[in-house]
Amino acid sequence: MKVGFLQTSPLFGKKDENVDNAMLQITRLDADLVVLPELFNTGYQFTSKEETLALAETVPDGQTTRALINLAKEKHLHLVAGLAERDNGRCYNSAVLVGPHGFIGCYRKLHLFYHEKQWFEPGNVGLNVFDIGQARVGIMICFDWFFPEVARYLAVKGADIICHPANLVLPYCPQAMVTRCIENGVFAITANRIGTEKRSEEALTFIGASQIIGTKGEIFYRASSDLDEAIIAEINPKFARDKQITPMNHLLNDRRLKFTIPVEERE
Ligand code: ACM
């Protein structure tokens, strides 16, 4: 299965330009599954709820999701892309999954990072795994990586590949995702952005380093910190179905869930 990512540098608010640029790059790829960054169409640094609402779109009938669906049909591939979603006057930091037969699903980011808490509601549609034929894919968005239960939950639900749109600013995630893959026996594709936005007092620089990681933590490819890149690697998603660590250790069945401590019981 040919899987990969686009690492882009969106211009804030220039949706047509950002979407057209991403579409053009995908058109040139030979791929089965491509992951795009978080908020790939709008840019990241919103400054008010009004601005967020104005740029956010409904799913699946908004213009960005429709453009993604058309391309997925034309190229016969699956796409996971981060965008600002509007629903009943509320905004979510979401990612859509589309394929050759159209819209498949949408994930709303659970763990909002920093000022995102001012513009978005936390996700309310849970974490889902989607069977796209060649693999089962789970979706999480950027800062969700900091909460290892997200990747674990997706793995327990049967994900072979974690698709991870991101707008990373802290440096830790690329290495942490290596561990997420080892401890869950899954592949992960992190699609990050590059560039700097300074739409308030604080400039945010995005770290790039998008990557494709294997079930044993192999770094099949890690991108630069400062270039737009479109990378595809060949993987065998079935490797993620083998959760045996040694002949006597299984990474899901060996868990001792009875002894994990719910947060309310902390001393
Ligand atoms: C992030 O969650 N965009 C850091």
Side-chain angles (χ1 to χ4, degrees), residues 7-11 44 167-169 192-198 203-208 224-228:
Q7 173 166 294
T8 60
S9 40
L11 299 171
Y44 183 77
N167 275 190
L168 296 162
V169 291
N192 193 25
R193 61 162 293 178
I194 56 163
T196 297
E197 285 187 8
K198 189 174 187 314
L204 291 176
T205 295
F206 303 94
I207 67 165
S224 64
S225 61
D226 58 355
L227 294 174
D228 281 9

Side-chain angles (χ1 to χ4, degrees), residues 3 160-162 173-175 177-182 186-190 209-222 235:
V3 304
D160 304 313
I161 306 171
I162 293 181
C173 176
Q175 277 312 96
M177 284 307 289
V178 172
T179 304
R180 291 292 96 78
C181 288
I182 298 168
V186 294
F187 295 88
I189 305 165
T190 297
S210 300
Q211 59 187 13
I212 305 166
I213 306 293
T215 57
K216 304 271 188 289
E218 313 94 309
I219 302 171
F220 294 138
Y221 187 85
R222 182 175 284 166
I235 64 161

Side-chain angles (χ1 to χ4, degrees), residues 38 44 93 109 111-113 116 141-144 166-169:
E38 177 182 11
Y44 183 77
N93 184 340
K109 185 176 185 178
H111 301 95
L112 299 172
F113 179 71
E116 287 171 34
I141 300 178
C142 204
F143 193 48
D144 283 329
N167 275 190
L168 296 162
V169 291

Side-chain angles (χ1 to χ4, degrees), residues 3-10 15-27 29 31-43 63-65 67-69 71-72 75 77-84 93-99 107 138-142 161-168 188-194 208 210-212 228-232:
V3 304
F5 61 80
L6 284 196
Q7 173 166 294
T8 60
S9 40
K15 285 205 296 190
D16 289 344
E17 236 169 290
N18 296 333
V19 174
D20 288 351
N21 172 47
M23 300 288 120
L24 181 65
Q25 299 215 49
I26 295 165
T27 307
L29 297 175
D32 301 305
L33 170 68
V34 182
V35 184
L36 283 74
E38 177 182 11
L39 299 168
F40 90 97
N41 60 339
T42 56
Q63 67 173 84
T64 302
T65 308
L68 292 164
I69 290 169
L71 185 64
K75 289 277 297 174
L77 47 58
H78 287 85
L79 298 169
V80 174
L83 47 78
N93 184 340
S94 299
V96 294
L97 168 64
V98 304
Y107 165 67
I139 304 173
M140 62 186 212
I141 300 178
C142 204
I161 306 171
I162 293 181
C163 298
H164 184 210
N167 275 190
L168 296 162
I189 305 165
T190 297
N192 193 25
R193 61 162 293 178
I194 56 163
S210 300
Q211 59 187 13
I212 305 166
D228 281 9
E229 297 193 42
I231 299 295
I232 302 299

